[in-house]
């Protein structure tokens, strides 16, 4: 130990020693810790385990590419491929892209960067991260786990639906291309429910879901969907069972394959007749929509969910990174890829819908032309009113439109009785995208080699869902493993089995209504609260200046001032506005769902019955309950916040030092070589930060993370600075 250290001076001076444990250890001479074993935390250390990364060794990504693909696979999901195009079409086409891009920059990117940074810096799952940042807000991590559980329960059902359609696609013609024929003796009739709706709609509601008329009619389990759900959870479990090394390799396929399919679909879609009409419709802005607050609220919600904020999966994946990884670059890259994927998927969807709209418009023209011919034959209409250039054998949409307006002008008083439709392409395009399992399957029946495209499409949906599910499961398992030190394999198997049996409510005949309930209400409001508290915990309690300083030390450069102001002011205000708008909407519009009425072969909006409202409210309360419970327990010291802990571990090839909220007597006991309280926790360095534009403290330190390189983690007391 250096002669000028305060401990050495104690032998030659009567002055009291006030040096902190952090300063004491910082003045140590470098030791050959590669071959030494020192454990201070009343822990048993087996020297025989020294060589194989025991103790606090944490798994790591095999490569940066694997990590980026995992984050992309998690953030890019079914919402990018279907919900974004739906919102784009609904909210003004190209005009919707403007608020979405603005909100992605001022809300999405900063908060995504925040989650990546805290996960990488503290190297724990969501529970451990928020216990460290602010123990009284440690309920954030538990709330994230519960929301991940709720989302995972129903999200995997969607993967199950995709598996069902995937295996049904190996047929020609596709089973949803035509209505089934019922034979009654010698008479063959079309299934009435299918005849009243369409072949694809009938296949979805009757063959796939076998849906009941309301949420109150259970109808028993749908055995085919039960098997598909079991297969979906088996796939997720196998991908997760070996940890990030295994799931990371899965990501190479599950993250890249959807892009191959989307590009193939885009090329094929652009070659379809009418595809340009759909794309022009997408980019034709309805500027009045940009002033509608609802458009901005829906854009903010989409940004919020597109990046997976608040679920804990982002933090979990980032926690397996090296300390010096450039997470700022990762945040910008993944956010851009997410936006690019949404636009790419929107181009594909609108190209296909443009083709479908042209097909449906031609069908409309043919049906109404036959009506006009019938009226001409029965002398209801005169041949003189038909324009001379109109050829009924090759009737175009333009010719029909001209003929329609002439008839409407001549027969103005009795026009409604004729029952003619205008057959406008714009009307078909404005019908929207609808559900993927109806609209897209119908479009694919018109594709040449339709089974091939159907197989590719549903395999893409399975991969998109799998990537998001791996991240969602990581948001559950990683914090539990970090906090409670349970075995990874046992926890993963247990979670999958539990989720499968609970998920059986989604594969009964009324299961689709429960999926709608969970999708609409189990995550939106709780996640908004979680992300607001995450932002407040870092920016206002932990301190934006202190956090920016730690990022400067970790990254090797000072992040832009933009992040300082967005974290501290802009993002919290925007998120508070989103939460307020969500609560107002919930109050103004009573919760309900679209039920499929078999006898009428149509959808009907129904309000949830009282018992279903009880489940809905319970989901919201249960997801947010850990926040006040943990706050009260720790505010009144009813449970330990896990912060009074010190752990110093020298291991082969690495030295790690964990210090957290040491009280005075803890420091004294450590100096006198007595074991302090035992709860190891990873603690990064805390130093003052002078705010945006201040001189980087790296100029005053040659090694940001201490004397023992980036594997050496040191911290002073975080709680005292809160």
């Amino acid at each position: 130990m250096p002669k000028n250290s305060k401990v050495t001076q104690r032998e030659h001076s009567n002055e009291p020693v006030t040096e902190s444990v952090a300063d004491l250890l910082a003045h140590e001479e470098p030791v050959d810790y590669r071959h030494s074993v020192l454990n201070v935390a009343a822990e048993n250390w087996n020297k025989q385990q020294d060589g194989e990364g025991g103790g606090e060794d944490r798994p790591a990504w095999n490569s940066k590419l694997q990590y980026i693909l995992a984050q992309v696979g998690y953030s890019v999901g079914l919402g990018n491929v279907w919900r974004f195009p739906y919102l784009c079409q609904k909210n003004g086409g190209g005009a919707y892209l403007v608020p979405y891009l603005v909100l992605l920059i001022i809300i999405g990117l900063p908060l995504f960067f925040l989650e990546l940074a805290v996960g990488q810096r503290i190297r724990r799952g969501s529970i451990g991260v928020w216990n460290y940042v602010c123990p009284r807000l440690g309920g954030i991590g538990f709330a994230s786990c519960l929301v991940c559980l709720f989302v995972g329960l129903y999200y995997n059902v969607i993967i199950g639906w995709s598996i069902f359609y995937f295996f049904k696609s190996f047929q020609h013609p596709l089973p949803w291309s035509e209505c089934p024929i019922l034979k009654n003796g010698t008479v063959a009739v079309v299934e009435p429910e299918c005849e009243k709706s369409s072949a694809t709609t009938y296949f979805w509601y009757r063959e796939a879901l076998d849906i009941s008329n309301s949420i109150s009619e259970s109808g028993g389990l749908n055995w085919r969907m039960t098997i598909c759900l079991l297969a979906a959870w088996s796939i997720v479990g196998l991908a997760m069972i070996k940890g990030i090394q295994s799931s990371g390799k899965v990501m190479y396929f599950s993250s890249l394959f959807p892009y191959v399919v989307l590009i193939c679909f885009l090329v094929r879609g652009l070659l379809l007749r009418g595809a340009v009409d759909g794309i022009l419709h997408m980019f034709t802005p309805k500027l009045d929509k940009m002033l509608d607050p609802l458009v901005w609220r829906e854009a903010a919600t989409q940004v919020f969910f597109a990046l997976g904020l608040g679920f804990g999966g982002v933090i979990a994946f980032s926690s397996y990174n090296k300390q010096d990884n450039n997470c700022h670059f990762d945040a910008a890259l993944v956010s851009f890829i997410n936006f690019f994927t949404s636009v790419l998927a929107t181009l594909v969807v609108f190209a296909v819908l443009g083709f479908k709209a042209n097909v449906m418009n031609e069908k409309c023209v043919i049906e109404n032309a036959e009506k006009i011919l019938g009226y001409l034959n029965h002398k209801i209409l005169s041949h003189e009113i038909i324009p001379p250039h109109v050829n009924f054998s090759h009737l175009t949409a333009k010719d029909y439109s001209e003929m329609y307006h002439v008839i409407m002008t001549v027969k103005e008083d009795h026009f409604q009785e004729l029952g003619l439709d205008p057959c406008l392409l714009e009307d078909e395009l404005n019908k929207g995208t609808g559900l993927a399992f109806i609209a897209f399957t119908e479009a694919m029946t018109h594709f040449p080699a339709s089974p091939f495209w159907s197989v590719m499409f549903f395999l893409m949906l399975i991969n998109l869902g799998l990537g998001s599910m791996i991240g969602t499961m990581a948001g559950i398992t990683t914090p539990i493993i970090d906090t409670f030190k349970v075995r990874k394999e046992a926890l993963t198997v247990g979670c999958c089995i539990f989720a499968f049996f609970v998920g059986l409510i989604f594969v009964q005949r009324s299961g689709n209504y429960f999926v709608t309930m969970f999708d609409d209400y189990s995550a939106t409001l709780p996640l908004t609260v979680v992300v607001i508290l995450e932002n407040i915990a870092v920016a206002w309690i932990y301190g934006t200046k202190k956090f920016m300083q730690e990022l400067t030390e970790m990254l090797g450069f000072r992040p832009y001032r933009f992040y300082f102001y967005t974290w501290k002011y802009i993002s919290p205000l925007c998120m508070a506005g989103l939460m307020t708008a969500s609560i107002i909407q919930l109050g103004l519009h009573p919760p309900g769902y679209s039920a499929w009425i078999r006898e009428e072969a149509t959808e009907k909006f129904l309000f949830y019955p009282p018992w279903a409202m009880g489940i809905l409210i319970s989901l919201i309360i249960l997801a947010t309950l850990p926040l006040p419970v943990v706050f009260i327990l720790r505010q009144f010291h009813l449970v330990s916040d896990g912060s009074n802990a010190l752990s110093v571990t020298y291991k082969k090839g690495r030295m790690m030092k964990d210090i957290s909220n040491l009280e005075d007597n803890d420091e004294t006991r450590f100096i006198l070589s007595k074991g302090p309280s035992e709860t190891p926790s990873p603690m990064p360095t805390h130093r003052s930060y002078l705010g945006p534009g201040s001189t980087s403290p790296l100029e005053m330190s040659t090694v940001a993370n201490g004397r023992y390189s980036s594997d050496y983690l040191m911290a002073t007391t975080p709680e005292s600075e809160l």
Side-chain angles (χ1 to χ4, degrees), residues 103 157 182 187 221 347 380 502:
L103 293 171
V157 175
L182 302 179
V187 180
L221 291 178
L347 287 171
I380 298 175
V502 174

Side-chain angles (χ1 to χ4, degrees), residues 321-363:
N321 272 328
K322 296 179 180 179
Q323 280 282 317
D324 58 352
N325 175 62
N326 188 351
C327 56
H328 174 260
F329 171 79
D330 300 342
L333 178 63
V334 175
S335 298
F336 169 77
I337 293 176
N338 192 289
F339 178 70
F340 167 77
T341 307
S342 297
V343 174
L344 175 63
T346 304
L347 287 171
V348 172
V349 169
F350 273 81
V352 172
L353 289 178
F355 165 69
K356 178 193 169 188
N358 274 269
V359 171
M360 299 304 294
N361 194 57
E362 287 181 3
K363 183 179 178 182

Side-chain angles (χ1 to χ4, degrees), residues 452-524:
F452 168 77
W453 295 106
S454 183
V455 168
M456 294 284 283
F457 176 73
F458 288 108
L459 186 58
M460 178 188 71
L461 291 188
I462 293 170
N463 278 275
L464 286 171
L466 180 61
S468 297
M469 271 303 300
I470 289 176
T472 302
M473 286 294 292
I476 300 172
T477 58
T478 299
I480 294 177
I481 292 170
D482 289 342
T483 305
F484 303 105
K485 308 301 179 185
V486 298
R487 287 190 63 219
K488 174 175 52 187
E489 293 81 2
L491 176 64
T492 302
V493 172
C495 283
C496 291
I497 293 175
F498 169 79
F500 168 72
F501 283 105
V502 174
L504 292 178
I505 65 170
F506 301 110
V507 290
Q508 55 185 337
R509 291 183 59 198
S510 61
N512 186 49
Y513 306 136
F514 287 96
V515 170
T516 302
M517 176 194 293
F518 273 66
D519 187 35
D520 290 342
Y521 300 104
S522 70
T524 305

Side-chain angles (χ1 to χ4, degrees), residues 51-270:
E52 295 299 327
E56 292 293 328
D57 280 351
R58 187 171 186 78
W61 298 103
N62 291 334
S63 66
K64 180 65 174 284
L65 176 61
Q66 189 182 86
Y67 163 69
I68 293 295
L69 290 178
Q71 288 286 15
V72 169
Y74 174 53
S75 66
V76 175
L78 300 176
N80 298 77
V81 173
W82 208 252
R83 182 164 176 77
F84 184 91
Y86 164 74
L87 291 174
C88 187
Q89 184 274 337
K90 174 186 174 184
N91 294 315
Y96 173 75
L97 297 177
V98 176
Y100 181 86
L101 191 57
V102 169
L103 293 171
L104 177 65
I105 294 173
I106 66 174
I107 293 181
L109 177 59
L111 294 179
F112 190 61
F113 180 30
L114 183 147
E115 290 200 356
L116 289 179
V118 295
Q120 178 175 311
R121 183 64 170 170
I122 302 173
R123 294 177 64 78
R124 286 293 181 269
S126 56
I127 294 177
V129 161
W130 302 114
N131 276 343
Y132 164 58
V133 172
C134 179
R136 289 176 181 82
L137 291 181
I140 293 175
F142 292 98
S144 294
C145 285
L146 283 174
V147 172
C148 279
L149 175 62
F150 292 156
V151 171
L153 286 174
Y154 78 83
Y155 201 89
N156 223 22
V157 175
I158 301 175
I159 299 179
W161 295 343
S162 302
I163 292 173
F164 175 79
Y165 269 85
F166 173 74
F167 284 105
K168 286 290 185 178
S169 298
F170 291 94
Q171 302 178 41
H172 185 73
L174 292 170
W176 52 81
S177 60
E178 297 177 353
C179 286
I181 304 297
L182 302 179
K183 291 186 178 180
N184 185 7
T186 58
V187 180
V189 295
V190 178
E191 166 65 47
E193 184 181 6
C194 183
E195 189 175 22
K196 293 177 183 178
S197 54
S198 68
T200 50
T201 303
Y202 172 82
F203 186 87
W204 165 245
Y205 283 118
R206 191 55 50 210
E207 296 293 333
L209 300 182
D210 193 17
I211 200 166
S212 60
N213 284 359
S214 73
I215 195 172
S216 301
E217 302 175 24
S218 169
L221 291 178
N222 181 336
W223 66 269
R224 288 175 293 188
M225 286 303 171
T226 303
I227 294 174
C228 291
L229 180 63
L230 179 61
W233 277 114
S234 300
I235 294 171
V236 172
L238 290 173
M240 292 292 298
I241 198 73
K242 295 298 183 182
I244 64 166
Q245 284 80 10
S246 173
S247 60
K249 294 174 183 176
V250 173
M251 288 295 180
Y252 280 113
F253 180 75
S254 65
S255 297
L256 295 176
F257 179 74
Y259 291 96
V260 175
V261 176
L262 283 175
I263 292 173
C264 290
F265 262 98
L266 180 61
V267 173
R268 183 67 187 90
L270 291 175

Side-chain angles (χ1 to χ4, degrees), residues 577-637:
L578 175 61
M579 183 179 69
T580 303
S582 300
I583 294 174
I584 292 174
Q585 186 197 27
L586 194 61
L588 294 178
H589 304 283
Y593 63 100
S594 294
W596 178 258
I597 309 301
R598 181 170 190 168
E599 293 74 20
E600 301 174 9
T602 185
E603 289 184 341
K604 182 179 180 180
F605 185 83
L606 300 177
F607 294 108
Y608 286 112
W611 63 267
M613 284 295 297
I615 295 177
L616 187 154
I617 295 172
S618 298
L619 288 173
I620 298 175
I621 293 176
L622 187 59
T624 54
L625 189 61
L627 300 169
V629 168
V630 172
F631 181 85
I632 292 172
L633 291 177
R634 289 179 174 170
Q635 176 68 25
F636 295 100
H637 307 290

Side-chain angles (χ1 to χ4, degrees), residues 441 524 703:
T441 51
T524 305
V703 182

